[in-house]
Amino acid sequence: MHRRVKDFIKKLALEEFTNRSIDVADKIGKTVHNVYIKDTKSSWASCSTLNNINYSWRLALAPEYVIRYIVAHE
């Protein structure tokens, strides 16, 4: 994939996943400290003990139901 396309996807993913993460966290009474977009190949996402959530940019290419599940899981 061309670098510019990947950078564009990462930019959109950061905004979308940040909004979704904050919405889900509010619903369950939790807080999200930071959201990061990474270039991981072995996992869709991870959450640290400091409430930082790392998402793979590749998740943005997944079906909607997968994105909803991963955001809720993290």
Side-chain angles (χ1 to χ4, degrees), residues 5-64:
V5 173
K6 191 182 339 179
D7 290 346
F8 179 72
I9 292 170
K10 286 179 180 182
K11 179 183 173 188
L12 293 179
L14 179 61
E15 182 178 334
E16 182 67 21
F17 295 160
T18 298
N19 291 336
R20 287 179 183 230
S21 297
I22 290 169
D23 288 344
V24 170
D26 286 344
K27 288 178 183 177
I28 62 171
K30 300 289 182 180
T31 59
V32 174
H33 187 256
N34 284 314
V35 174
Y36 300 101
I37 302 298
K38 303 285 185 167
D39 192 20
T40 58
K41 295 178 183 175
S42 61
S43 68
W44 290 111
S46 63
C47 183
S48 74
T49 57
L50 301 174
N51 295 336
N52 294 323
I53 302 177
N54 301 306
Y55 291 105
S56 172
W57 67 269
R58 291 170 179 84
L59 180 61
L61 305 176
E64 175 64 24

